[in-house]
Structures are given as C-alpha cells and as structure tokens.
C-alpha cells in the first residue's frame, strides 16, 4: 500500500480485514444514523497561489476591533504593549514544551514561577498554580478542589456568575456526585441574607464573581461571612485589572481566587486562547489542580526552579490525582507575566482608573438619552447593563452600521432583563469613541421613533 496514493478498493478491503470488519458500514454500525455525516462533498484541491488568495479574501471580511468597540462579557479589548508579543515570539518560548527536565528548562520554569508570584501578589493569596485553560475551567477545578477539602458535594453558584463558567461547571459535575445550585439575584447581585438561608453543612463552596457578569461589585466580605458560618469555602472569581483598585480576595477572606488572565496581556483573538488562574490559601495548596513551579537550590547551592507537587494523572495514580486536566497555558501565562511586569502596580492602577472613569462618564450620558436607563443601581467598575427602549437586536444593528460595536445583548442568558445590553469600557475606548456611541444611540432611537 503506497501511503502517497489514493486508497484503492483493494486497500480498503485489506484495512477492514485487518481490524476485523467485513465493510465500512459494519465498522460504524454502533454510531446512531442521526449522528452520521455521510459522504463529505469536499471541493478539489487548489494550488498554493489560489489558496493564499482565498485565505486573504476570507481574512479581509473580518472586522477588526477598534476604540469604537464596547464588547465585554468576559473577553476584553485592552492595550497590549508591543514588548509582550516581541518576547512571546522568541523561539525558546513559543516552541518550548512542558519543562519536565529542569536541568534544560530553567528559563520556562523561572517565568512560570514569576507568573505564580504575580498572581499571588494580585489576589492576596498564598500560592498559585502554573495556570489553567481559562476562567471557566478554573471555576470547575476550584469547585472540585473545595469538594476535596471539605468532603462535601454541594456547590452554590451566584446567579451573577458568568453563564458560560456556570455551564462548564455543570458539565464537569455530571460525572461525580456533585450538586450545583444557582442562587437568585436581588437587583443584579447576590444578597448576603439570602445566601445565609441557602448555605448548609452540605455546602462545599459558594462561587461568586465580583465585578460580576452584569458588571456590579458584590458585597464579598458579607458573602464570605455567610459562607464561612457553615464551614464552606468562598471561591472568588475576579478580573485581574479590577484588583488594582478593588480589595483582593485575600483581604476579604476568600479561600480560593480564580479568574481569566486574557485582559492582562492577551488579545481577544476570536475568544481564545485564554489563560485561567487559580490561587488559594496555604492550608489548601496540596489540593491545587495542575502544576506548581517551586524555587530551590541546585547541587552548587545556586537558585534553581523545578516542577513540584505534580498531582496530575500522568504523574501519579489517576484516582489520586487532583485533576485530569492535561496541560497549562504557559505561553499565555508568559504574556500575563510580561504585561504585569511592564505595567507594575502604578500602571495597572492607571489602566483600571481610566477604564472606570470613562465607564461612569458614559453611563451617566447614556442615562440622559431619552428612553435609555441603567438596568441596576448598584456599584460597578467598568462594565454596566443598559435598558433599551427599542429591541436590542435592532439597536446593535443600527450602531454597527455606524461603525460601532455597541455591546452584548443580555437576553441570551437573562431573558428576564428584557431589552437590555452590556457595555464594557476600557482604556482603549477614548473620549471620541464615547461621544460616537452616545450620538449613535440618539440617532438610532430617533430613526426607530420615526418608523
């Protein structure tokens, strides 16, 4: 059989006989017919020039993000210094594999160690792992971690948690005996008094995001008090930029801090790849999922780094592993490390303050547009929900026609909010972009009124 030529009927018969089937149909008989795609109607192959032209044509249809994009909902457009991509593009970083051999992997191990140190500094926690896939998988891993720590099987989730994080958590929970309950909101936030009535000695953890998916800042100290009263753990889902101006999870008693590092050094890039972070108090560090890089000394007494506490299924018995997650996001974690190192505490605070100042100015101006109002009265940082007097789909289409990405419709996840949409403001949205959005809302509203 020549591997470089198309398969002949004789080749197919030989292959089927080798695996013990009389025909291809017999081999796939166990697959339900509704799930079978059938014959693929693929076009004939193209030459290199034609492929390049086709790809360029497709790429030209993409709409690049600009200062006039106000999309958020977990993926944020922030300025990324050129130095981040320049360093990530070095071959020793982007071609490196998992540093199983510390004697030849000191560079990778060192920056991963620095990443862990930066995450601990941001969150106020004692120890961090070497990153996870994204914020959603970090949420699921934190819940399972809390279940191992407490020996309990119930997880309570604030209704203000990112809906996709909650969905991934429920997917994880289908395997083990884990109960996931969603807690109702009051004016867009989780009410501490209501939480106190829901938690019990069966609760392993309470997962709360702040600022939450609707942009509101939760009362984390009060929620932590209600959670700890029954011996459960508080899992705080946080945005790293917000921690430059808001109290870190370690200050209000959170046991585990998680989130997504996309907003600090990683571009939106069609929604991925992202990088999830997970940090905790030292009492629980042996239950951390994934890898941890530790600092030590070598045979000469010089500082060295190595993987430690490798509690993954490929390192120890599967049933003893804290997680079966199979990799980390080292290159994206490096982007986080470079970005935070360049920004420093003062630079990150400037980013957060500029974003918040512009967001509050925009919210005030939108509330003055006839028919529009803020969906909630609670405190927010740089993201907020707006009620529209006209169908949101039509509104966003009208804004898009004016070169504006006006926000994200909320009815997909929160139908009870009706015609509401979420606006995110970052340092990229300059004053001219804010003026354009306000003007666009006026124009679209007038056009709809005239119909």
């Amino acid at each position: 059989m020549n591997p470089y030529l198309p398969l002949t009927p004789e080749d197919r018969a030989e292959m089927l006989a080798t695996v013990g089937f009389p025909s291809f149909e017999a081999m796939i008989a166990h697959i339900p017919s509704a799930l079978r795609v059938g014959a693929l109607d693929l076009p004939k192959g193209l030459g290199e020039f034609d492929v390049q032209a086709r790809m360029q044509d497709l790429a030209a249809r993409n709409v690049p993000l600009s200062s006039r994009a106000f999309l958020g909902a977990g993926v944020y457009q922030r300025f990324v210094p050129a130095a981040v991509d320049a360093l990530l593009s070095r071959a020793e970083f982007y071609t490196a594999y998992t540093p199983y051999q510390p004697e030849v992997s000191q560079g990778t191990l060192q920056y991963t160690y620095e990443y862990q140190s930066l995450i601990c500094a941001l969150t106020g926690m004692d120890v961090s792992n070497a990153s996870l896939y994204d914020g959603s998988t970090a949420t699921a891993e934190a819940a399972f971690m809390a279940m191992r720590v407490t020996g309990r099987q119930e997880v309570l989730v604030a209704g203000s948690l990112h809906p996709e994080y909650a969905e991934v958590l429920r997917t994880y929970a289908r395997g083990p005996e884990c109960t996931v309950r969603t807690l109702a909101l009051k004016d867009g936030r989780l009410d501490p008094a209501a939480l106190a009535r829901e938690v019990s000695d069966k609760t392993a953890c309470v997962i709360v995001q702040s600022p939450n998916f609707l942009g509101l800042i939760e009362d984390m100290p009060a929620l932590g008090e209600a959670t700890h009263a029954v011996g459960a753990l508080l899992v705080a889902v946080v945005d790293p930029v917000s921690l430059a101006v808001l109290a870190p999870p370690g200050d209000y008693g959170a046991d585990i801090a998680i989130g997504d590092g996309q907003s600090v050094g990683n571009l939106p890039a069609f929604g991925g790849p992202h990088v999830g972070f997970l940090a905790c108090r030292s009492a629980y560090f042996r239950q951390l999922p994934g890898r941890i890089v530790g600092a030590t000394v070598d045979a000469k007494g010089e500082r060295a780094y190595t993987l430690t506490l490798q509690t993954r299924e490929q390192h120890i018995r599967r049933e003893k592993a804290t997680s079966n997650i199979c990799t980390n996001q080292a290159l994206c974690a490096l982007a986080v490390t470079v970005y935070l190192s360049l920004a420093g505490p003062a630079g990150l605070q400037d980013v957060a303050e500029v974003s918040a100042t512009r967001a509050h100015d925009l919210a005030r101006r939108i509330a003055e547009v006839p028919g529009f109002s803020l969906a909630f009265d609670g405190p927010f940082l740089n993201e907020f929900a707006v009620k529209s007097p006209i169908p949101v789909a039509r509104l966003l289409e009208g804004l898009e026609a004016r070169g504006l990405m006006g926000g994200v419709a909320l009815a997909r996840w929160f139908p009870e909010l009706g015609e509401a949409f979420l606006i995110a403001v970052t340092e990229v949205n300059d004053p001219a972009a804010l003026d354009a959005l306000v003007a666009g809302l006026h124009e679209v509203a007038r056009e709809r009124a005239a119909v």
Side-chain angles (χ1 to χ4, degrees):
M1 184 184 302
N2 190 330
Y4 300 103
L5 294 177
L7 289 176
T8 65
E10 291 76 16
D11 293 333
R12 293 190 180 91
E14 180 183 346
M15 294 173 66
L16 288 167
T18 300
V19 295
F21 288 97
S23 65
F24 177 75
E25 289 70 24
M27 186 173 68
I28 65 171
H30 64 286
I31 302 176
S33 58
L35 300 180
R36 300 180 196 175
V37 176
L40 296 177
D41 184 19
L42 298 177
K44 295 181 65 175
L46 301 175
E48 181 180 355
F49 176 80
D50 293 323
V51 170
Q52 285 185 351
R54 174 61 174 157
M55 298 305 292
Q56 290 170 354
D57 179 62
L58 291 173
R61 293 162 58 185
N62 294 329
V63 179
L65 292 177
S66 69
S67 64
R68 294 160 67 95
F70 296 87
L71 307 177
V75 181
Y76 301 96
Q77 180 189 199
R78 291 194 177 277
F79 174 72
V80 178
V84 175
D85 188 57
L87 290 173
L88 259 63
S89 299
R90 292 179 62 92
E92 62 266 36
F93 291 137
Y94 73 73
T95 63
Y97 188 58
T98 304
Y100 292 125
Q101 295 177 272
E103 64 274 15
V104 295
S105 306
Q106 284 300 293
T108 300
L109 288 165
Q110 182 177 355
Y111 81 67
T112 307
Y113 181 85
E114 299 299 343
Y115 162 82
Q116 294 172 177
S117 301
L118 288 166
I119 293 299
C120 288
L122 270 178
T123 60
M125 307 304 280
D126 300 321
V127 60
S128 164
N129 70 1
S131 80
L132 295 168
Y133 292 125
D134 52 26
S136 64
T137 50
T139 302
E141 294 290 346
F144 280 25
M145 179 180 170
M147 290 164 58
R148 293 191 298 271
V149 169
T150 62
R152 303 173 181 180
Q153 300 298 113
E154 179 185 70
V155 175
L156 300 185
V157 176
S160 52
L161 176 68
H162 193 307
E164 293 172 358
Y165 290 14
E167 185 177 353
V168 169
L169 171 60
R170 292 190 184 93
T171 300
Y172 269 64
R174 290 176 185 172
E177 295 180 359
C178 173
T179 301
V180 179
R181 290 201 294 125
T182 300
L183 303 175
L185 303 178
K186 181 180 180 181
D187 298 326
R189 301 196 294 167
L190 183 58
D191 179 25
L195 173 62
R197 294 190 295 269
E198 295 288 343
V199 292
S200 70
D201 57 5
K202 297 180 181 179
T203 305
C205 67
V206 178
I207 303 177
V208 186
Q209 181 177 354
S210 184
N212 65 30
F213 183 75
L214 299 171
L216 300 172
I217 299 172
E218 299 276 3
D219 187 351
M220 298 302 282
L223 295 172
E225 184 177 346
T227 300
H228 293 143
V230 296
L233 304 187
L234 177 63
V235 177
V237 184
V238 292
D239 169 48
V241 175
S242 74
L243 298 180
V245 291
L246 299 180
D251 283 9
Y252 51 73
D255 301 286
I256 303 172
I258 59 175
D260 198 305
Q262 178 273 319
S263 63
V264 280
N266 290 281
L267 296 170
F270 292 94
H274 282 205
V275 53
F277 60 86
L278 192 156
C280 69
R281 298 194 177 278
S282 57
Y284 312 128
F285 80 97
R286 288 191 175 274
Q287 295 299 329
L288 273 174
R291 306 182 182 94
I292 302 175
V293 174
T296 183
V297 294
D298 62 15
K300 297 180 181 180
E302 298 178 353
R303 188 174 180 83
Y305 304 89
T306 185
L307 287 177
T308 186
L309 292 177
Q310 301 178 62
T311 53
R312 296 167 64 230
E313 43 79 21
Q314 65 181 192
H315 299 128
I316 62 176
R317 285 180 295 172
R318 183 179 295 270
E319 67 273 14
K320 296 293 184 181
T322 59
S323 170
N324 291 327
I325 202 163
C326 293
T327 189
N328 66 3
Q329 298 290 85
L331 196 63
C332 296
L334 176 59
V336 172
T337 306
V338 176
Y339 177 94
L340 292 177
S341 300
L342 289 171
L348 194 64
Q349 183 175 347
D350 285 344
V351 169
E353 289 180 347
V354 168
S355 302
T357 299
R358 292 179 179 176
H360 283 75
D361 176 58
L362 180 62
R364 175 187 57 79
R365 295 172 64 186
I366 289 177
E368 294 172 352
V369 178
F372 288 87
S373 64
L374 299 187
F376 305 104
D377 294 328
F380 66 92
L381 190 62
N382 68 295
E383 201 163 10
F384 56 94
V386 175
K387 289 185 177 181
S388 169
I390 60 180
V392 168
R394 299 286 180 84
L395 173 68
L396 297 181
E397 287 176 2
L399 293 174
E400 185 177 349
R402 291 165 171 79
L404 292 156
M405 297 182 184
V408 177
L410 286 169
R412 170 182 173 186
W413 303 286
F414 299 89
E416 68 275 12
L417 291 181
E419 299 298 341
F421 62 105
L422 193 64
I423 292 177
V425 181
T426 72
E427 75 283 4
V428 172
N429 303 116
D430 55 32
L434 306 189
D435 293 342
L437 180 59
V438 173
L441 293 176
H442 276 288
E443 292 172 7
V444 175
R446 282 197 298 266
E447 287 179 0
R448 290 292 299 173
V451 174

